[in-house]
Amino acid sequence: MMRSKQKKPIYMLFISLVCISTILSGCSTGKTNSPEPNTANEASPPNETQPSKNPNNGNTETNSEKLPEGVKVKKVIKDTKINNGYHKKTELLTDGGKLKTIRDSNNNIIEQYIEYEGIIMKVNGNKVEVQVKHGENRTLNIPDEIVIEDEDGVGLKQGIEIEWEVNMDGSIQSVELED
């Protein structure tokens, strides 16, 4: 019986030491200080990994000369670093669009486009009037060569949600409908 009473304080001391070392090492938050190995292929498209700690690092200038006339950047919505040194920035525009810019590790623009979403108000063939989310009414002329993504088969109808991407020259690149 004497032996079990002697083991109890040693056992409690051991448990306490394990708990304290776990807390002090930072393991309780699930974070590590060591960088993760980069196993991604350089040619693969970048994937989001973590938010940037400083949204103003690097060149934060937008190609505002390429924005539609009278449109300005309202605010930065998201500014993240993605693998292989790439950087992705999403900015809300005054016309309701979202400017999406992806830059490489040398701060060169790799991809830049404007994404819009809204509700279809009126349809006349490929000419569609849309109430832009966070913006005004806008008329789209969807080119015949653009394939409209329509998983639910709803078609271009009044009241349907629509999303579209426009390149920096103002040409529609993709259209997607959602019920």
Side-chain angles (χ1 to χ4, degrees):
M1 181 128 173
M2 188 63 143
R3 279 189 174 166
S4 67
K5 286 186 179 183
Q6 288 176 342
K7 288 183 180 180
K8 190 173 184 179
I10 293 173
Y11 180 73
M12 293 303 289
L13 178 65
F14 177 73
I15 296 281
S16 298
L17 287 174
V18 170
C19 291
I20 290 171
S21 64
T22 302
I23 291 170
L24 292 177
S25 70
C27 292
S28 62
T29 62
K31 295 180 183 176
T32 63
N33 290 335
S34 63
E36 293 183 20
N38 187 359
T39 58
N41 184 348
E42 288 290 327
S44 66
N47 294 323
E48 291 187 24
T49 56
Q50 64 184 11
S52 173
K53 291 180 181 171
N54 181 2
N56 294 322
N57 62 354
N59 182 0
T60 59
E61 294 297 317
T62 301
N63 285 346
S64 57
E65 67 273 2
K66 291 188 174 185
L67 291 176
E69 189 176 325
V71 176
K72 295 180 182 174
V73 174
K74 201 177 210 180
K75 70 177 183 176
V76 175
I77 297 173
K78 191 174 185 181
D79 196 359
T80 57
K81 287 183 182 178
I82 46 184
N83 61 358
N84 297 333
Y86 284 76
H87 189 88
K88 183 176 182 180
K89 188 175 189 178
T90 303
E91 299 167 291
L92 181 61
L93 303 176
T94 54
D95 69 347
K98 294 177 185 172
L99 177 63
K100 307 245 178 160
T101 306
I102 298 177
R103 295 179 183 266
D104 65 11
S105 58
N106 296 322
N107 212 23
N108 297 319
I109 295 175
I110 300 300
E111 185 177 9
Q112 190 171 44
Y113 59 93
I114 302 173
E115 182 179 273
Y116 293 93
E117 51 186 276
I119 303 291
I120 297 175
M121 304 305 287
K122 186 177 177 183
V123 178
N124 185 5
N126 283 355
K127 191 173 184 176
V128 181
E129 189 177 315
V130 178
Q131 172 61 52
V132 178
K133 183 177 181 182
H134 305 294
E136 299 177 0
N137 280 3
R138 182 174 208 155
T139 301
L140 304 177
N141 288 312
I142 303 172
D144 291 332
E145 64 270 10
I146 297 295
V147 176
I148 300 172
E149 293 180 41
D150 187 5
E151 291 179 8
D152 299 328
V154 294
L156 292 172
K157 296 179 192 168
Q158 184 177 354
I160 299 297
E161 289 182 36
I162 184 170
E163 294 179 12
W164 69 101
E165 292 179 3
V166 177
N167 67 14
M168 296 314 290
D169 296 327
S171 301
I172 295 175
Q173 299 299 299
S174 67
V175 176
E176 182 178 343
L177 302 177
E178 295 182 10
D179 191 10

